Amino acid sequence: MKTRILCVLNSVALASALVLGLVPAGHTAFAQDKSAGAQAPATEDILHMADGRVLRGQIISKTKTEVIFEYFDTKVNIKTRLKLAVENILKIEEDVAAGSSPAAPAASPTATPAAGASPKPADKLKAAEERKTYGAARVQTEDPNVPSIYIVPMKGQMGTDINKQVYEKVRDDILEKKPTVVVIELNCQDTEDVLYPRKGKDEQGLVELDTFRDMVNIFQDDLSQFRQVCWVHDSLGISSMVALSWQELYMKPPARLGGLVVAREETGFEKWQDADVRGKMTAAFMAWVKGFLEGGHYAFELAEAMVRPQFTLSATWKGREVTWSLDDTGEYLVDGSDKKTTEFRAKDAEDLCVSDGTAETIEDLALLLGYREFRMVDSAAEKICADYVEDWRRAFEKCETQLEDYKQFLGWASGEDAVKYLGQAKAALENVLSAMERYEAVEYRIGFKYGLDREWFTIQIEIIKERLRSLKSNKPAGGGGGSGGGSFGGGRKP
Amino acid sequence: MNRVNLRNLIVTCIVLLLTVSPLSAAVEIKLKDGSKWRGEIADVVELRYMQQGVEVPVQGKLLKVENLYVQVEATTAGKTGPKTIFKSDIVSMKTVGTGAAAPAGTATPSGSGPATANPATTPSVTPSSGAAPAQAAPASTIGVHVLPLEGGVGQEIRRDEFEKMLEYLDTNYGPGQIVVLLVDTNGGAVTETEAINKVTFEMKKRHRVVAWIHKAISAGCAIAAACNEVYFMTEGTAGSVTSWNPGTGKSATGEELERGIAQFARTLEAGGHYPGISAAMKTNPALLSYDKDPVTGDVTWHDTLEGEYDLSGPNDNLCFNSSNALHCGFSDGTADTGEELAKLLNLPKWHEASDYGRKIAKEWQQTWTEAQEELPLIQARLNYKNTGQGDPVIILGTRISLLKELIGWLDRMGPNTSQMFSVKREDLEREIAELRKQVADIKRAQRERN
């Protein structure tokens, strides 16, 4: 098991990462270097940044909107060129004697508040605005030398909104755009949606492990040439298992990673009465789940603690590595309850090396990924995913209407109008069947909500055809008569 | 080292050691079919020989004839040099010219061009064409034959495809082939597993049989464990071989359990694995752990938990993932793509010598899927089809046709899988007889009325 390296990056580290320049300089063509070739200049320029940084170096060029600055880090003896927005600079001191103390910036709004003092709402707002510009610089360019980020949205119900069908199309777009890094933006709380009945159980994520494995393999096999990162905005449900199949994992500050108890509840592997059958099912399903973590190089203990409530979880740091124990013997008790499964918040996940870091914005994330500046790929993913979700959900709504129509038309199909309404009932069923064939999500949802599958629709259509033939030949239908139709409902699951 | 590579090595060594004899002398070579070729050193010959199961033609000047091999000056991949061919591999040989005036021969595959493997993730496949051998591969390309095992054992996976594969290899390629079983199954019928493994053991006598595991649960693991080598995909799983009755939800106990453990232990042993894995995969109380020598990597197994690495505790069933399977040696390596597997198999690149295995697996999968869809529909149609006609003879005749259709499906399923369906042939035949009697009675009554 590869152990993940401890990587606690606080905001100070973020700032230093920026100025150290985590990517090789030279991506961008800056203005003429006024200090080119200069050795240890007698004077230096000092920039007081809005985020509290004080940068020493040489101003290369200045415009109304930006300053090109050559920052010199004396600790590591590295020069880095930075493109800084003027609005983020509080004060500029030019040609100051090298090594002199910088003057304090006038009334810096980002000065660290005294311990215990809460920032005023206005300050919070300002801080939040500054936060937006904190991190790597997003640039508008087509320059292939600038690292490019491709966002893949994964949002909604696992198995319907998020499924293989959608991401096959996204894969093709990624292959065409060839980004530097693919960021899978995971935002899925389908378990919570059901726990707090904001939505019905039909919105709960499907526990279709094989389907999700195929979906993950689209990225990890078909797109293995691209660096990939899972950025969890929030994940509560089976989506967390999918998240843990990526080796590089980042989280948003309020994000959660958990809810995997659903894998146990929905598969019911621990509910078998016979001990050996229970053991077999548990081992098989847990190995299946662990297979996802294997891809992300996470410890198997995480799978046990996140899926099975009876396990507690503690962690012990050995140097910069974390060793997990499914009990309370570790140095740090992560989950002391044997009644609930382990769930991580962003901060804990980062401290315990489950995540590689916490990033609020794409700029933060880019910086953590080692990109000082980046460009966003003009991707089709957002549209592909949104369109799919909209299309299948609209198709499902139509299906529901058509199922009602079918019932009504069948009820009216007697006397002189029998042929007319039977024809309309048949057409309604054919439309539903067609939507089920087009969208797996529709097929699943109709199965879940009404307990009907394609076979049922095929049979009902054939029965109506038979009735129509009988009416047209003016002979009563004989024989069995089939299952009739006209009523359905209940769904597959309680 | 595998047999194929060993032979290549021998050939290469011989090529390096031998010098070309310029002398001209009368020679005689006995061919496989008992016929003889007679000629002289320096004759230009055209011969066909078997290489990795593929018949390869070569034309060039005969340089040397020894007890076991001949040497021909041939051009391969633009380079002219001596080509050593074992006499036992020669299929046919004829003289096409004499003396030194003839140009150096050219080794070319028998097809329209050399079969090339795509360097990308898509594996190159040489399509199979009936009983004829697949396109010849270039000398540097050693091919594999993939047989996908996807679905339930005794359903989508059955002995028939194994038997067809073995026959195909024996007929068209000869011994020494590499068969890759692409395993992705949650398991299935024990009886079919045993029948499949019987064919696998036969296959292993002549070929190198490799399991490449995506998912090998229960019966799937029993099939994979019988192979010469086992490789996992990163997400691969294998284990949980407990025998149970899905109808009752009960596992095998007592003598039945012991027999099952012993049977699977023999399979494991035949596949080169520790037989004690069997009990740990069959029943919870069986313990299993191991120690691993940090220097040699040798694994020592324990049917207790005294080893450094636990695999199965008193309440656990054993199911491997790719990392622990690799660590304890159950797996020979982890590969997610054909190229990665080719490296582990010591092949220069991933090349599928034929698509026969994929083709027969796909055909059967389609049949099975169609059956899954059609059988319930036919059974439902018995209730309503042609009832609109109102004529009892037509209605009964339709039912007879539908029942015959069901029997037809059972025949297509074959004896090894038809038992997976609830309908029985005898019952269907009896019902047809009953309906025929009814039709006859109605017709008689009609005649009497008229």
Side-chain angles (χ1 to χ4, degrees), chain A residues 1-4 297-303 305-306 312-318 321-327 329-335 342 344 348-349 351-355:
Chain A
M1 174 75 55
K2 179 183 152 186
T3 310
R4 299 169 63 77
H297 294 185
Y298 298 90
F300 287 166
E301 287 87 350
L302 286 180
M306 291 177 81
T312 56
L313 184 69
S314 60
T316 304
W317 281 270
K318 283 184 182 168
E321 294 178 1
V322 175
T323 304
W324 300 95
S325 310
L326 287 170
D327 50 36
T329 56
E331 285 170 3
Y332 178 76
L333 188 62
V334 180
D335 170 15
T342 304
F344 292 96
D348 290 338
D351 290 348
L352 293 161
C353 304
V354 174
S355 86

Side-chain angles (χ1 to χ4, degrees), chain B residues 42-49 56-63 70-76 79-83 85 92-99 101-110:
Chain B
D43 279 355
V44 178
V45 294
E46 184 186 290
L47 61 79
R48 300 179 76 83
Y49 66 100
V56 181
V58 64
Q59 187 178 314
K61 190 164 71 176
L62 187 65
L63 301 174
V70 302
Q71 261 191 345
V72 177
E73 189 175 47
T75 304
T76 309
K79 272 182 137 182
T80 303
K83 171 90 188 160
I85 300 159
S92 65
M93 188 168 179
K94 63 180 178 183
T95 310
V96 293
T98 52
T106 304
T108 53
S110 58

